[in-house]
Amino acid sequence: VGANIGACSLLFSRLGHPVIAVEPEPSNLLLLRGAVALPQRQQHRDALQSFGSISIAAVAVSEEQGQISMGRDRSNAGHSDVVRDSERARKEQTTPTAASAASESALASGPVVYSRVPAAPLDDIALEHVKKLGRHLDDICLMKVDVEGASALPAFRSAKRLLASPRLQAVSFEYVPSDPGHTSELLHILSANGFRIFGNNGGSSFGPLEEREYRASEFESLTERLRQEGPLGTTLVAWRSAAEAKRERNGN
């Protein structure tokens, strides 16, 4: 979720894994589709193959089906976020050709490109695209979420079936509490589904984060610690074994 131009999607596909790449931002989407279409030379062979195991979902994640506005930093293709229509209208009236996003979104003040994109719950997106890949929802074993601000909570809130799937064993996600939407609720949603939250010693932009499990009683202090660091944040990993997932699904 938040595939951007496809760096991780292409890697996972090249390793032989089917991938659902969720990316709604039009400029990134164009580059992602171009990258997926590139022919790749098979190892130890002369024949060329494409990334046929990637299904691109050109849709934003939302708790409801519909259309939403997105803003992208004109100078940073990796920095985009959902923008309220009222916020967009206000800024476009101020500077019609290069609007600036307000603090309601994760976008910094500066030139922003706006677009209107389709939106859907993550469960619906996953169900549609596993069928295109000839798979089932329970075949998904890893979820990577790299989204800004207001896009974060809807990704987890709208993934009830996916998070309950016993085959889903790991969720890697960017966690930047200074952004709107990156709150401890994300951690509690994962914990409620049987996931254990781990710090990543190499995933912190501001310095080493203890590479250990963070229990539910520590979620608020961890969030506050990262919030004080400003917009740098870190990458966290939620993990559970297949047995833990099955116990959680059965309510045991």
Side-chain angles (χ1 to χ4, degrees), residues 11-224:
L11 172 62
F12 293 144
S13 175
R14 191 65 173 151
L15 292 173
H17 303 291
V19 177
I20 300 172
V22 183
E23 178 53 57
E25 203 286 314
S27 298
N28 292 337
L29 185 60
L30 183 65
L31 293 172
L32 173 62
R33 285 176 167 153
V36 169
L38 291 173
Q40 299 296 308
R41 190 170 300 280
Q42 297 186 47
Q43 191 173 14
H44 307 307
R45 297 183 184 180
D46 293 329
L48 297 178
Q49 64 178 10
S50 63
F51 292 101
S53 61
I54 298 178
S55 183
I56 297 176
V59 58
V61 177
S62 175
E63 294 181 69
E64 298 180 352
Q65 293 272 357
Q67 296 269 328
I68 62 173
S69 292
M70 290 198 71
R72 177 179 64 80
D73 188 330
R74 192 183 293 271
S75 62
N76 182 358
H79 197 192
S80 60
D81 192 14
V82 172
V83 179
R84 294 179 183 177
D85 289 339
S86 59
E87 177 185 342
R88 173 180 176 176
R90 183 172 65 251
K91 288 300 176 180
E92 286 181 331
Q93 287 175 0
T94 304
T95 49
T97 57
S100 299
S103 58
E104 292 176 359
S105 74
L107 294 169
S109 178
V112 174
V113 179
Y114 290 111
S115 55
R116 194 77 173 160
V117 300
L122 187 53
D123 276 344
D124 293 353
I125 296 170
L127 284 168
E128 175 185 350
H129 287 270
V130 289
K131 292 178 181 178
K132 291 182 178 181
L133 291 168
R135 302 297 182 111
H136 304 280
L137 190 68
D138 284 348
D139 290 326
I140 298 176
C141 62
L142 168 67
M143 182 165 75
K144 183 179 183 296
V145 182
D146 186 357
V147 296
E148 308 289 342
S151 305
L153 268 176
F156 290 91
R157 287 175 176 170
S158 67
K160 292 182 175 63
R161 289 186 62 179
L162 185 55
L163 292 175
S165 171
R167 288 288 301 279
L168 182 66
Q169 292 185 246
V171 180
S172 173
F173 59 105
E174 186 179 70
Y175 194 51
V176 189
S178 62
D179 277 0
H182 283 237
T183 72
S184 60
E185 182 182 342
L186 303 182
L187 309 182
H188 286 291
I189 289 174
L190 291 165
S191 179
N193 282 276
F195 287 93
R196 293 185 284 162
I197 309 299
F198 291 87
N200 180 359
N201 192 38
S204 173
S205 301
F206 64 86
L209 188 69
E210 296 93 329
E211 195 167 296
R212 63 174 178 86
E213 178 180 356
Y214 287 84
R215 301 190 180 278
S217 60
E218 299 178 278
F219 289 170
E220 304 303 329
S221 60
L222 173 63
T223 299
E224 182 57 30

